[in-house]
Amino acid sequence: MSEELRAGDGLLRRARRAMPGGVSSPVRAFGAVGGEPPILMRGHGATVTDVDGRSYVDLVGSWGPLILGHAHPAVLEAVERAARDGLTFGATCAAEVELAERVLARFPFAQRVRFTSSGTEACMTAVRLARGATGRRRIVKFEGCYHGHSDALLVKAGSGALTLGRPSSAGVPDELAALTDVLPLDDEAALERLFEQRGREIALVLIEPLPANAGLLVQRPEFLRRLRALTAQHGALLLFDEVISGFRVAPGGMTQLTGITPDLVTVGKIVGGGMPVGAVLGPADLMDRLAPLGPVYQAGTLSGNPVAMAAGLATLEQLARPGVYERLEQLGARLAAGWERALSGGGGKGAAGAVARVGSVLWPLLQRGPLPRALHAIDAGVAPRYAALHRRALQRGLWLAPSAYEVAFVSTAHDEAAIDRAADVFAEALAAVPADAPEPRAEAPA
Ligand code: PMP
């Protein structure tokens, strides 16, 4: 073992001594795929490098923010310039006003935005605002959708909560969870039944219009339209959680692509360009119920932080250049085609499956049959198969999300060579995954 490897090992041990599981966010511990998580040191463009000096083609992109890749020169320059003028004021700054205007320009239904420091806070704020505005208590979410880790929303959530095999979390009082109804995606009948029973008690329905935290469960537009119609009819507010899809699938996210107008939108990730930013946005009359104008309290010492605002602004400026989304579409399609060739059993080796994709968001699914649109349609056998794939891909220098239920992100920093490398490594790794990888015990992902 080289000196450097021992250095990396030592750091992992220290991480595990100092932090629960050695991480600051659970999925990073590789619990769902096994093996030792490399500790990362550098990211440039489409590549990340660990403390042992091993480089990987990165398809995680910090879970979505890095649509321009790591350390994009324009973002770095903006951050450096902002940092020289002060890291935080706790007062409104110029970049914040500019970013607010730029975000609102992408979501024309909205006239006001409130910045937070994470997607979790943005969704949590939306829940309080909806309850405050409607005077109702109940909220509704969908199985497998993730809206951050606030108490009310950590019920049958996706993302890390899903891969841990825990639909919910210890420490969330039953009384609070009881105010959250959870429905399956892609099921108009279930929606209609719930609204018939208690439509007048519902303050807010939250949905990821492109559910991307339990695989990529692309919804039928009719389902989203029915949801919009039912919420409006019963006086419930509708939130599109675009923390992943906002600025990613189109400048105005799924709100733009579907043409459906929600009451509130949350964004995060890309809007901070790699710095901690979230936001909730909506029409003036609703948003002005937030303090200081209205009675719904919400605040944050570091909200609207000048360095984070500068990173977000620089990122959105780059995204406004011509051809960016076309390029992301091309690269996404190229990677999907490569993965599909491998998954359609070219050579008859390895597990079979398919790829779900919208633009630069991809989900490789190690399961035969039609692409699922709801959590319960995902075969629990995908998890052990994906774990085997993940380990082999990592060894060969491909950084995939450490969970079968997380998506892959392509950035503008991925050139054709990086995409082809990601496709080749995937195919090699897949060929070594037995088609009949162990079926799971009765541990359904739901
Ligand atoms: N909503 C969605 C759709 C997300 O994907 C996430 C995080 N992956 C969140 C909310 C929470 O955001 P954060 O991790 O910044 O708190």
Side-chain angles (χ1 to χ4, degrees):
M1 195 183 278
S2 75
E3 202 54 42
E4 281 165 339
L5 256 179
R6 276 199 296 277
D9 280 357
L11 208 51
L12 186 58
R13 262 198 309 278
R14 283 166 53 197
R16 286 175 172 159
R17 251 200 313 270
M19 303 182 285
V23 294
S24 298
S25 197
V27 71
R28 300 177 191 175
F30 278 31
V33 290
E36 308 270 82
I39 294 181
L40 296 185
M41 184 171 64
R42 267 197 303 272
H44 292 293
T47 306
V48 286
T49 304
D50 69 19
V51 290
D52 298 324
R54 282 175 52 95
S55 288
Y56 309 82
V57 174
D58 179 21
L59 289 180
V60 177
S62 189
W63 306 93
L66 299 181
I67 195 165
L68 304 175
H70 292 268
H72 187 283
V75 180
L76 280 192
E77 207 211 298
V79 165
E80 283 167 8
R81 203 169 348 106
R84 275 195 292 273
D85 283 335
L87 294 182
T88 172
F89 304 127
T92 302
C93 67
E96 185 180 355
V97 181
E98 273 190 64
L99 186 59
E101 288 171 353
R102 209 171 252 271
V103 168
L104 291 171
R106 296 304 191 200
F107 293 88
F109 84 97
Q111 293 94 46
R112 303 272 196 275
V113 55
R114 169 65 50 96
F115 288 113
T116 63
S117 298
S118 67
T120 294
E121 287 172 84
C123 294
M124 193 179 84
T125 299
V127 169
R128 187 176 305 136
L129 175 58
R131 284 175 165 154
T134 60
R136 300 174 179 187
R137 282 153 38 108
R138 304 200 65 83
I139 60 171
V140 180
K141 70 178 287 293
F142 292 89
E143 250 170 40
C145 284
Y146 181 67
H147 307 291
H149 59 91
S150 72
D151 282 355
L153 296 172
L154 211 52
V155 182
K156 293 212 175 180
S159 194
L162 183 62
T163 50
L164 281 173
R166 288 184 214 133
S168 182
S169 165
V172 176
D174 290 346
E175 291 85 348
L176 197 60
L179 293 176
T180 304
D181 285 303
V182 184
L183 290 176
L185 287 161
D186 189 45
D187 186 345
E188 281 93 333
L191 259 185
E192 276 153 22
R193 269 197 307 278
L194 183 75
F195 272 92
E196 218 165 88
Q197 277 167 17
R198 47 171 69 141
R200 296 272 153 209
E201 296 168 54
I202 297 168
L204 181 70
V205 180
L206 304 98
I207 190 167
E208 290 177 72
L210 178 65
N213 278 289
L216 189 65
L217 304 173
V218 181
Q219 297 300 292
R220 290 173 294 113
E222 309 86 73
F223 174 71
L224 296 174
R225 280 199 288 270
R226 188 77 192 117
L227 175 59
R228 175 65 284 188
L230 280 169
T231 44
Q233 193 185 321
H234 290 83
L237 300 177
L238 175 63
L239 167 83
F240 275 4
D241 181 347
E242 301 236 42
V243 166
I244 283 184
S245 53
F247 314 104
R248 166 63 69 176
V249 296
M254 291 296 286
T255 305
Q256 176 187 331
L257 289 189
T258 61
I260 298 170
T261 305
D263 299 294
L264 290 168
V265 162
T266 47
V267 293
K269 302 194 190 260
I270 291 172
V271 74
M275 300 290 286
V277 181
V280 52
L281 45 134
D285 59 340
L286 183 53
M287 291 294 293
D288 286 350
R289 292 171 192 254
L290 286 173
L293 296 182
V296 180
Y297 191 72
Q298 193 278 346
T301 301
L302 295 175
S303 300
N305 170 277
V307 183
M309 296 291 106
L313 204 50
T315 300
L316 296 202
E317 275 166 11
Q318 291 298 310
L319 291 177
R321 293 159 76 120
V324 173
Y325 286 91
E326 290 78 1
R327 177 69 180 152
L328 287 165
E329 168 63 27
Q330 250 174 26
L331 293 168
R334 188 179 180 103
L335 183 56
W339 283 0
E340 268 159 6
R341 267 195 304 280
L343 285 163
S344 62
K349 285 195 290 185
V355 181
R357 180 181 75 89
V358 176
S360 54
V361 189
L362 292 88
W363 182 44
L365 172 66
L366 306 189
Q367 158 183 324
R368 287 193 176 81
L371 288 168
R373 286 196 291 258
L375 182 59
H376 57 74
I378 305 174
D379 165 12
V382 303
R385 282 177 217 131
Y386 184 87
L389 170 81
H390 182 272
R391 278 196 296 278
R392 290 169 171 94
L394 194 72
Q395 282 159 8
R396 291 168 169 82
L398 179 60
W399 190 268
L400 288 171
S403 158
Y405 300 99
E406 302 282 359
V407 293
F409 294 104
V410 167
S411 77
T412 54
H414 289 79
D415 58 9
E416 276 76 5
I419 293 291
D420 293 348
R421 174 100 190 108
D424 291 347
V425 171
F426 182 95
E428 286 164 30
L430 189 74
V433 177
D436 58 350
E439 281 301 320
R441 294 170 294 122
E443 221 179 299

